[in-house]
Amino acid sequence: MATLESVSNCVVTGNIGAVGGEVQALIDGGVAPADIINDGLIAGMNIVGPKFKAGEMFVPEVLMAAKAMAAGVDLVKPLLGGDDMPSLGKVVLGTVKGDLHDIGKNLVGMMLESTGFEVVNVGIDVAPEKFLEAAKESGATIVAMSALLTTTMLAMKETVDLFKENGMDTKLIVGGAPVSQEFADEIGASGFAPDAATACDLCKELLA
Ligand code: B1M
């Protein structure tokens, strides 16, 4: 029988073939989409992290875990709704220069969309100039940056500085595992969110 734990196990073992069936069974059984994401898919990734750090899992296995997670997320995403809501505002979202991690960033994008924001997802390894160009082109009022590596957090400061140099009044917000409120304050960002749900609240606050 499919459970949140079996979904989590599919992520940990990178079982791309099985994850879809398990997630679908939970959906059919009436489990809330947010619970499938938080207590199934993310819970699995929370087991992968420490194993990767401890050298018990390696890059190819983590990649399989990431793909299994993405396959699960794809099934849940349409259920989060948001399509019919009027737009709350436009947010440019990307993972900063030098950083290829996109699972958390994409979850933030999904939650923002389901809350009613229009999201311009500029992808991974995004240089400060590209964030600026995307903000100018789209007219977004918020730019949300994600970083998972301590080394790439510096690119967040470069981006904040570039927006200031160009006289932009765009709100720049930051998030990702190594990022903190203290760091956001230090680089002059408009805000920090530790998770996707808080990122939505923060965007609403900034536009209020
Ligand atoms: Co990477 N990796 N990785 N990795 N990887 C970490 C981040 C690491 C902590 C693992 C470890 O050692 N314990 C470590 C970083 C150490 C450090 O700098 N502190 C690490 C490393 C070292 C590396 C490589 C250098 C490994 C190597 O090649 N030797 C390499 C770097 C590549 C690069 O980016 N240049 C690398 C590669 C990879 C994979 C490609 C194999 C894969 C990424 C696949 C992908 O993203 N498509 C991967 C993965 C999966 C991880 C871990 C295991 C999981 C990350 C994840 O997806 N978490 C990670 C360990 C960990 O974090 N525990 C690790 C689940 C996700 C839902 O959480 O991304 O934190 P997270 O997002 C959350 C919040 O942080 C927040 O909301 C999300 C949802 O609630 N959030 C935001 C995120 N972005 C936000 C933006 C916002 C607001 C909130 O805007 C305002």
Side-chain angles (χ1 to χ4, degrees), residues 45 53 62 98 100-104 146 148-150 175-177 193-196:
M45 202 43 94
K53 191 173 184 180
V62 178
L100 309 177
H101 295 86
D102 68 356
I103 298 172
S146 176
L148 264 287
L149 300 173
T150 42
D195 53 53

Side-chain angles (χ1 to χ4, degrees), residues 1-7 21-22 25-26 31:
M1 203 188 85
T3 59
L4 290 166
E5 197 182 354
S6 66
V7 166
E22 298 289 308
L26 291 187
V31 179

Side-chain angles (χ1 to χ4, degrees), residues 145 153-162 183 186-187:
M145 292 181 273
M153 287 163 67
L154 293 175
M156 291 177 153
K157 175 169 167 35
E158 288 172 25
T159 309
V160 171
D161 290 347
L162 184 69
F183 176 74
E186 200 180 301
I187 66 170

Side-chain angles (χ1 to χ4, degrees), residues 38 41-42 45-46 48-54 58-67 69 93-95 98-108 112 124 143-152 156 172-178 191-199 202-203:
N38 291 321
L41 299 164
I42 293 184
M45 202 43 94
N46 286 342
V48 171
K51 280 183 179 284
F52 187 29
K53 191 173 184 180
F58 300 96
V59 172
E61 293 164 293
V62 178
L63 266 177
M64 295 296 280
K67 285 187 179 157
M69 168 129 188
L93 171 71
T95 304
D99 204 317
L100 309 177
H101 295 86
D102 68 356
I103 298 172
K105 185 253 308 167
N106 288 341
L107 277 173
V108 170
L112 283 171
I124 53 174
V143 167
M145 292 181 273
S146 176
L148 264 287
L149 300 173
T150 42
T151 47
T152 58
M156 291 177 153
L172 288 113
I173 61 171
V174 291
F192 157 74
D195 53 53
T198 315
L202 177 61
C203 287

Side-chain angles (χ1 to χ4, degrees), residues 193-207:
D195 53 53
T198 315
C200 295
D201 294 341
L202 177 61
C203 287
K204 282 189 208 158
E205 271 168 36
L206 289 171
L207 294 181

Side-chain angles (χ1 to χ4, degrees), residues 88-93 112 117-118 120 135 138-145 163 169-173 190 199-200 202-207:
L88 290 180
K90 214 176 262 181
V91 181
V92 166
L93 171 71
L112 283 171
F117 286 95
E118 261 180 86
V120 181
S138 64
T141 33
I142 298 177
V143 167
M145 292 181 273
F163 272 70
D169 59 3
T170 319
K171 308 280 184 200
L172 288 113
I173 61 171
S190 313
C200 295
L202 177 61
C203 287
K204 282 189 208 158
E205 271 168 36
L206 289 171
L207 294 181

